[in-house]
Amino acid sequence: MNTPDIPMAGLSIAAVERDTGLAKDTLRVWERRYGFPAPARDGRGERVYPAEQVDKLRLIRRLIDQGMRPARLIDLDPDALTRMLEELGGAPASAASEHGARLESLLELVRLHQPEALRDGLQQLLMKMGLQPFVIDIVAPLCTRIGEAWLRGYVDVPAEHLYTEQVKGILRTAIGVRSTAARGRPAVLLTTFPEEQHALGLLMVEAMLTPEGTCCVSLGVQTPLDDICSAAAAGHYDIVAVSFSSAYPLRHAIDGLRSLRANLPPTVELWAGGAGLRTAGRKLPGIQVFTSLEGIPAAVNEWRKAAGIQP
Amino acid sequence: MNTPDIPMAGLSIAAVERDTGLAKDTLRVWERRYGFPAPARDGRGERVYPAEQVDKLRLIRRLIDQGMRPARLIDLDPDALTRMLEELGGAPASAASEHGARLESLLELVRLHQPEALRDGLQQLLMKMGLQPFVIDIVAPLCTRIGEAWLRGYVDVPAEHLYTEQVKGILRTAIGVRSTAARGRPAVLLTTFPEEQHALGLLMVEAMLTPEGTCCVSLGVQTPLDDICSAAAAGHYDIVAVSFSSAYPLRHAIDGLRSLRANLPPTVELWAGGAGLRTAGRKLPGIQVFTSLEGIPAAVNEWRKAAGIQP
DNA sequence: CGCATCATTTTGTCCTGGACAATGTGTTAT
DNA sequence: ATAACACATTGTCCAGGACAAAATGATGCG
């Protein structure tokens, strides 16, 4: 009934699904179409995946997340796949920027799993810079750097998680301190669509909004569309803000935003942003699209001017 | 290719799998054998589950988690199922308990979407009670209450999200204040398995551990198994702690924990807990299973005694 | 009466192979 | 260069059969 993974010879299809994130159906259909993976079979005729094949599947999955397609990848050997991942990392990003060196040293702390030093370092920068510049110049670029480094295999998953958790802790603390009894306008409802899991992006937005004196309420990630509507109407919010990570399918974002705009009371503004909307600039009438965090404070002032409200 | 959840008429089989934790195969085989669920079909012949059936599936799943078996449940109507849950839950939860009235009033704040009042109320209780009792007597029971209320349709999804977010903020702030430069022993690595998304459970554990003076590092949710191993080894942790929500398939939890135990250095203890493991007491040799949050401080002392370390 | 052993039912997961729509890619016409 | 179209790729769904693990019930024994 269940599949004990004890026979170290290989993994069951359920275990591979768990480890690679590829659905059982997908694993079977790849085998049928491409001849890979080619698992052995146990006495019952059930698939038994050797570890090397699972490793290769993991590499392929990463490349697919980057936009590659399975047919081009499936016949390559692991070395070639690894090389592709490294190249794809691409942009040397920061070295030039003002905080470049700082970012590099933080990245090293992440890579070497130093939670305390990382937190102390971040905390210190936050104190020195203030919340908004900290988010714009440190947290956001570091997210990008770590994402690239992860693609290249330079940092591993736990390191990335570690960073995310430490930053979440720090941002929440900073927001918590500032927002006690905030009751300003605009009142902003903040969340993501159901398939979107990137909580950190949401938190960065909240960190940009709170110091502006807005009344910012986050529902966290993955709120169903119609629930966003009902919550917005029930809570008398001025603005609904939705965040999309780069992994979010652009098509879904656009469809969802249009449908949301249609169902939302016209008096409620709809703001959307995040790496997932980079290219979707003007296709969204009636919706304010942000391509970077910097624009948020100005947009708040804009709203206040239009509404005739002084901060 | 993928299934956008936009048509509000009903849910796809994949969406129901997500919402109920019942595998697609299980949903199909129940339909074949018992005649329930009996989803409609769309133009392509694909299953479309009405909301009421999904609600009933959720009830059934909860009862199965309690040890019941599907055949006895599947023909009962939702009211009967709800009654069974209430009886089986044993503890009449609120009315009798010391904090019953308090919980009820907080539940009302959640239901009516009052983020500020909710936060103030929680914050006040935290100050008064201290972190650990606050988690045990307020946060955890309120989670259960809200879960039940949500099943009954008494609170909606945004309300639940609102509660989760407010509590996350408060707990993180409390933990952040206490944990600056904590370097005690045991050093605990905290995370969940890849399919598990319940961040709040993790945070409650962290809130129980931090005041004990442990060095508690959270990787957040959804860390792949082998990454947990490598992180545990690299970071010189004493304990790896994994949390499971009630929605997590018990079999997956057991498989995963066994495999984790086998691959972890023997000197590293493995702790597991959460509603998802209620029934899985003794099947896990070499793993410490927690059925409630209360046991955590004692277990930490236990560990220190065994290791010959004074707090 | 408690407890171990065995037979029977229940139940979840895996299998095969077919189908199809959403998405991506390449080509041609404006 | 952009738009419109045809063609290829790809993930998810479906049906219905099979089987072993777990739960349940029956039986015998100390």
Side-chain angles (χ1 to χ4, degrees), chain A residues 52-164:
Chain A
E52 319 92 59
Q53 295 194 20
V54 180
D55 293 340
K56 181 170 163 184
L57 285 171
R58 251 188 241 111
L59 289 170
I60 292 176
R61 180 161 201 320
R62 285 194 185 175
L63 284 161
I64 288 177
D65 286 345
Q66 293 302 304
M68 307 258 110
R69 309 190 70 188
R72 303 288 173 96
L73 304 170
I74 211 119
D75 286 325
L76 301 176
D77 58 298
D79 289 343
L81 293 170
T82 310
R83 241 174 295 123
M84 288 183 75
L85 271 171
E86 279 165 8
E87 286 170 26
L88 230 149
S94 59
S97 116
E98 183 192 354
H99 302 281
R102 226 166 248 163
L103 289 179
E104 287 312 307
S105 72
L106 288 171
L107 180 61
E108 276 309 286
L109 293 178
V110 171
R111 188 172 76 88
L112 300 171
H113 292 258
Q114 307 283 346
E116 294 93 355
L118 176 62
R119 180 166 48 205
D120 293 346
L122 289 169
Q123 196 78 56
Q124 216 173 327
L125 280 172
L126 168 59
M127 293 298 180
K128 191 168 149 191
M129 304 171 68
L131 185 52
Q132 290 175 331
F134 175 68
V135 168
I136 291 174
D137 293 328
I138 303 293
V139 176
L142 202 44
C143 281
T144 314
R145 293 284 290 132
I146 290 174
E148 289 165 3
W150 174 73
L151 275 180
R152 242 173 272 142
Y154 186 65
V155 304
D156 55 12
V157 175
E160 198 204 1
H161 280 214
L162 192 76
Y163 167 73
T164 308

Side-chain angles (χ1 to χ4, degrees), chain A:
Chain A
M1 203 111 155
N2 63 12
T3 315
D5 302 339
I6 355 171
M8 305 260 295
L11 303 182
S12 71
I13 194 170
V16 176
E17 177 181 45
R18 197 170 8 91
D19 277 23
T20 64
L22 296 164
K24 297 193 238 293
D25 272 326
T26 305
L27 289 167
R28 288 194 202 99
V29 91
W30 281 11
E31 184 180 341
R32 201 197 309 168
R33 285 185 189 149
Y34 312 124
F36 183 90
R41 300 294 177 127
D42 66 5
R44 299 156 222 159
E46 301 192 352
R47 292 171 174 80
V48 179
Y49 294 84
E52 319 92 59
Q53 295 194 20
V54 180
D55 293 340
K56 181 170 163 184
L57 285 171
R58 251 188 241 111
L59 289 170
I60 292 176
R61 180 161 201 320
R62 285 194 185 175
L63 284 161
I64 288 177
D65 286 345
Q66 293 302 304
M68 307 258 110
R69 309 190 70 188
R72 303 288 173 96
L73 304 170
I74 211 119
D75 286 325
L76 301 176
D77 58 298
D79 289 343
L81 293 170
T82 310
R83 241 174 295 123
M84 288 183 75
L85 271 171
E86 279 165 8
E87 286 170 26
L88 230 149
S94 59
S97 116
E98 183 192 354
H99 302 281
R102 226 166 248 163
L103 289 179
E104 287 312 307
S105 72
L106 288 171
L107 180 61
E108 276 309 286
L109 293 178
V110 171
R111 188 172 76 88
L112 300 171
H113 292 258
Q114 307 283 346
E116 294 93 355
L118 176 62
R119 180 166 48 205
D120 293 346
L122 289 169
Q123 196 78 56
Q124 216 173 327
L125 280 172
L126 168 59
M127 293 298 180
K128 191 168 149 191
M129 304 171 68
L131 185 52
Q132 290 175 331
F134 175 68
V135 168
I136 291 174
D137 293 328
I138 303 293
V139 176
L142 202 44
C143 281
T144 314
R145 293 284 290 132
I146 290 174
E148 289 165 3
W150 174 73
L151 275 180
R152 242 173 272 142
Y154 186 65
V155 304
D156 55 12
V157 175
E160 198 204 1
H161 280 214
L162 192 76
Y163 167 73
T164 308
E165 280 301 300
Q166 296 300 330
V167 171
K168 279 203 254 181
I170 287 170
L171 287 185
R172 255 201 224 271
T173 308
I175 292 169
V177 169
R178 299 205 182 223
S179 75
T180 42
R183 250 179 211 287
R185 293 284 293 277
V188 184
L189 183 70
L190 199 57
T191 190
T192 73
F193 281 4
E195 292 130 10
E196 172 65 66
Q197 306 203 25
H198 194 42
L200 191 48
L202 217 46
L203 212 50
M204 288 194 276
V205 176
E206 199 176 345
M208 293 300 297
L209 284 169
T210 304
E212 297 295 320
T214 61
C215 170
C216 193
V217 175
S218 172
L219 293 183
V221 295
Q222 299 191 309
T223 306
L225 270 189
D226 49 338
D227 288 313
I228 300 178
C229 288
S230 59
H236 306 290
Y237 292 95
D238 301 306
I239 298 168
V240 171
V242 190
S243 160
F244 299 89
S245 75
S246 61
Y248 199 89
L250 182 59
R251 199 34 163 271
H252 288 190
I254 291 176
D255 290 352
L257 284 170
R258 282 194 183 132
S259 141
L260 189 56
R261 174 69 282 178
N263 295 331
L264 228 40
T267 54
V268 177
E269 287 199 12
L270 180 54
W271 291 10
L277 290 183
R278 255 168 313 187
T279 58
R282 0 219 124 191
K283 298 186 182 176
L284 294 166
I287 302 173
Q288 170 127 25
V289 177
F290 294 83
T291 52
S292 82
L293 293 162
E294 277 100 332
I296 293 179
V300 170
N301 286 332
E302 207 54 43
W303 182 91
R304 283 190 176 130
K305 212 156 66 182
I309 289 177
Q310 292 310 314

Side-chain angles (χ1 to χ4, degrees), chain B residues 116-145:
Chain B
E116 294 94 355
L118 177 62
R119 180 166 50 204
D120 293 347
L122 289 170
Q123 195 79 57
Q124 214 173 327
L125 280 171
L126 169 59
M127 294 297 181
K128 191 167 148 193
M129 304 172 69
L131 184 52
Q132 290 176 330
F134 175 68
V135 169
I136 291 173
D137 294 327
I138 303 293
V139 175
L142 201 45
C143 281
T144 314
R145 294 283 290 133

Side-chain angles (χ1 to χ4, degrees), chain A residues 2-6 10-24 27 49 54 57-58 61, chain B residues 192-196 222-229 244 248-261 263:
Chain A
N2 63 12
T3 315
D5 302 339
I6 355 171
L11 303 182
S12 71
I13 194 170
V16 176
E17 177 181 45
R18 197 170 8 91
D19 277 23
T20 64
L22 296 164
K24 297 193 238 293
L27 289 167
Y49 294 84
V54 180
L57 285 171
R58 251 188 241 111
R61 180 161 201 320
Chain B
T192 73
F193 280 5
E195 293 130 10
E196 174 64 66
Q222 299 190 310
T223 306
L225 272 189
D226 48 341
D227 289 313
I228 300 179
C229 288
F244 299 89
Y248 199 89
L250 182 58
R251 273 159 295 283
H252 288 195
I254 290 176
D255 288 356
L257 284 170
R258 280 192 186 139
S259 138
L260 188 55
R261 175 69 280 179
N263 296 332

